[in-house]
């Protein structure tokens, strides 16, 4: 068996490629990996632990029923970033406001992290893949002070790194620092992540489409026409595409990244600005999609160029294989 490259070795070997200090990147990824392992353990034993499975009994800021694992994952990541000392503040899908860390060491840190602690959490109770999505920015506020809202509200094109941890049939970390996308698989025996998917490239075209078709009657004519094209035999494959919708964005995205496909969640009356969160879901996945040769738009403009005005801002999302996104937008 060839020698595997661990995540740590990969970072060290590729340090010249990073647009910021390798030790900061190592520490940040160490914090993410630490929390991900805690969450992974909870997910693996979810059905056996009373404090893990089921609803928390309250709604989050999005007005959605919080799952116990949403809260556990949120706490695990916050604790890890707080103790790690390279992050000055965070914003999370599960918390109304951002958190500016008080410790002097945190205030001396350069980065903020925005994250969805457990995407697809409505799937937890039925043992379907879920994931953590994260987005990393250099702070705007002066080093040595507390993080500000301005640090959090940066356009996606300012991200210095982004990624996700997918808790699927295996646990994977996929991330980019703006120089391609690489995927690492957790070896449960050694507890280490190893490079398993080097330089990931999203196929330019594919034959998978991912959309909640229950909302079909609410889609605009252009999108309905695109879906009819997907379901017809006049598309480039000469036969209908396959519909694949897990309902965990991170898992739908990961599959489309590898196989080629498009994920679409447009604005609908029940979610007039779109359902997905710009800062915690759309931006990080858009960064990865573009780095892998794919495309991400809100149906009109590039996701990464949207200037956010609020933490929990929603956006419509068309993401995936470049030619499929262009076709869905009516550009070709
Ligand atoms: P969540 O972060 O609360 O889990 O919400 C986001 C999820 C996405 O993972 C998924 O693609 C979408 O919401 C599913 O929405 P719907 O059930 O409306 O299809
Ligand atoms: Mg989510």
């Amino acid at each position: 068996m060839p020698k595997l490259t661990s995540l740590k070795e990969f970072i060290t070997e590729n340090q010249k490629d990073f647009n910021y200090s390798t030790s900061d990147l190592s520490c940040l990824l160490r914090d993410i990996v630490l929390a991900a392992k805690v969450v992974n353990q909870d997910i693996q034993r979810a059905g056996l632990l009373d404090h893990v499975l089921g609803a928390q009994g309250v709604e989050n800021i999005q007005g959605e029923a919080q799952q116990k694992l949403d809260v556990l994952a949120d706490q695990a990541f916050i604790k890890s970033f707080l103790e790690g000392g390279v992050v000055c503040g965070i914003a999370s899908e599960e918390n109304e406001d951002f958190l500016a860390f008080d410790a002097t060491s945190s205030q001396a840190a350069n980065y903020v992290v925005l994250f969805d602690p457990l995407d697809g959490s409505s799937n937890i109770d039925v043992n379907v893949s879920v994931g953590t999505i994260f987005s990393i920015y250099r702070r705007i506020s002066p080093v040595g002070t507390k993080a500000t809202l301005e640090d959090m509200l940066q356009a996606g094109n300012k991200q210095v790194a982004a990624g996700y941890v997918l808790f699927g049939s295996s646990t994977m970390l996929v991330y980019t620092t703006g120089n391609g996308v690489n995927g690492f698989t957790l070896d449960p025996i050694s507890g280490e992540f190893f490079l398993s998917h080097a330089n990931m490239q999203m196929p330019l075209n594919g034959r998978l489409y991912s959309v909640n078709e229950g909302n079909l009657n609410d889609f605009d004519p252009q999108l309905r026409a695109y879906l009819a094209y997907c379901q017809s035999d006049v598309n480039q494959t000469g036969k209908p595409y396959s519909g694949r919708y897990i309902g965990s964005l991170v898992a739908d995205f990961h599959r489309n990244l590898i196989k080629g496909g498009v994920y679409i969640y447009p604005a609908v009356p029940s979610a007039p600005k779109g359902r997905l969160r710009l800062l915690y879901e759309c931006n990080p996945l858009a960064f990865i999609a573009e780095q892998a040769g794919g495309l991400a738009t809100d149906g009109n403009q590039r996701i990464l160029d949207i200037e956010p005005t609020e933490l929990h801002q929603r956006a419509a999302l068309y993401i995936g294989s470049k030619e499929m996104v262009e076709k869905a937008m009516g550009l070709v």
Side-chain angles (χ1 to χ4, degrees):
M1 196 166 106
K3 186 190 171 304
L4 295 171
T5 305
S6 71
L7 176 61
K8 221 170 168 182
E9 287 167 342
F10 180 85
I11 294 170
T12 311
E13 282 163 19
N14 290 273
Q15 58 186 6
K16 61 182 182 308
D17 297 334
F18 296 122
N19 55 358
Y20 58 170
S21 118
T22 309
S23 65
D24 278 353
L25 175 74
S26 289
C27 292
L28 260 167
L29 287 175
R30 174 205 61 199
D31 299 346
I32 288 165
V33 160
L34 255 176
K37 286 182 183 171
V38 171
V39 175
N40 188 50
Q41 294 234 337
D42 281 343
I43 289 173
Q44 296 289 317
R45 295 180 299 157
L48 305 174
L49 304 173
D50 270 356
H51 71 283
V52 171
L53 208 60
Q56 179 81 359
V58 290
E59 288 187 346
N60 65 9
I61 172 67
Q62 328 280 338
E64 297 158 347
Q66 243 178 355
Q67 303 293 313
K68 289 177 190 167
L69 255 173
D70 279 327
V71 179
L72 288 173
D74 190 44
Q75 289 168 347
F77 278 93
I78 291 175
K79 182 169 184 285
S80 197
F81 291 132
L82 198 52
E83 289 172 359
V86 280
V87 171
C88 60
I90 62 98
S92 152
E93 185 182 306
E94 295 304 325
N95 299 309
E96 182 164 2
D97 216 345
F98 70 96
L99 275 177
F101 295 155
D102 283 326
T104 316
S105 57
S106 296
Q107 290 191 25
N110 283 309
Y111 301 100
V112 293
V113 184
L114 289 78
F115 60 99
D116 178 355
L118 211 57
D119 178 60
S121 57
S122 64
N123 277 325
I124 292 167
D125 287 358
V126 290
N127 204 358
V128 169
S129 301
V130 291
T132 300
I133 312 174
F134 59 89
S135 171
I136 300 170
Y137 294 84
R138 203 181 288 278
R139 72 188 300 175
I140 294 173
S141 57
V143 172
T145 62
K146 285 182 88 167
T148 63
L149 180 60
E150 207 194 354
D151 294 327
M152 310 291 162
L153 295 183
Q154 300 190 55
N157 56 34
K158 298 279 186 343
Q159 288 173 103
V160 292
Y164 56 83
V165 182
L166 176 62
F167 305 103
S169 46
S170 60
T171 299
M172 276 193 73
L173 166 70
V174 173
Y175 78 91
T176 182
T177 53
N179 189 21
V181 179
N182 290 284
F184 301 79
T185 299
L186 178 65
D187 169 19
I189 298 171
S190 63
E192 288 259 345
F193 279 92
F194 290 100
L195 181 64
S196 52
H197 296 63
N199 191 21
M200 298 175 84
Q201 295 290 324
M202 191 171 239
L204 271 183
N205 221 321
R207 46 174 308 277
L208 300 177
Y209 70 97
S210 314
V211 68
N212 183 342
E213 285 187 285
N215 295 329
L216 189 71
N217 292 337
D218 291 327
F219 293 167
D220 66 35
Q222 183 182 301
L223 180 52
R224 297 225 298 254
Y226 175 68
L227 294 174
Y229 166 86
C230 293
Q231 293 157 356
S232 73
D233 56 11
V234 301
N235 61 54
Q236 97 283 358
T237 65
K239 55 183 184 187
Y241 294 167
S242 293
R244 292 283 184 275
Y245 191 72
I246 296 171
S248 290
L249 168 66
V250 64
D252 279 310
F253 174 81
H254 183 73
R255 185 203 52 243
N256 292 350
L257 169 62
I258 291 175
K259 293 192 165 185
V262 64
Y263 174 102
I264 301 173
Y265 210 117
V268 286
S270 58
K273 293 184 173 162
R275 163 141 171 63
L276 298 159
R277 273 59 46 143
L278 176 63
L279 299 180
Y280 318 117
E281 297 169 324
C282 303
N283 274 339
L285 296 185
F287 191 17
I288 293 171
E290 287 197 5
Q291 284 295 315
L295 204 60
T297 76
D298 67 356
N300 296 301
Q301 66 164 323
R302 186 181 177 223
I303 288 286
L304 296 181
D305 288 339
I306 299 175
E307 289 293 337
T309 53
E310 50 186 285
L311 276 181
H312 299 287
Q313 189 166 332
R314 311 260 185 165
L317 182 62
Y318 289 56
I319 192 166
S321 292
K322 186 167 179 289
E323 290 179 5
M324 297 180 89
V325 173
E326 286 171 347
K327 182 88 184 165
M329 290 171 67
L331 298 179
V332 286

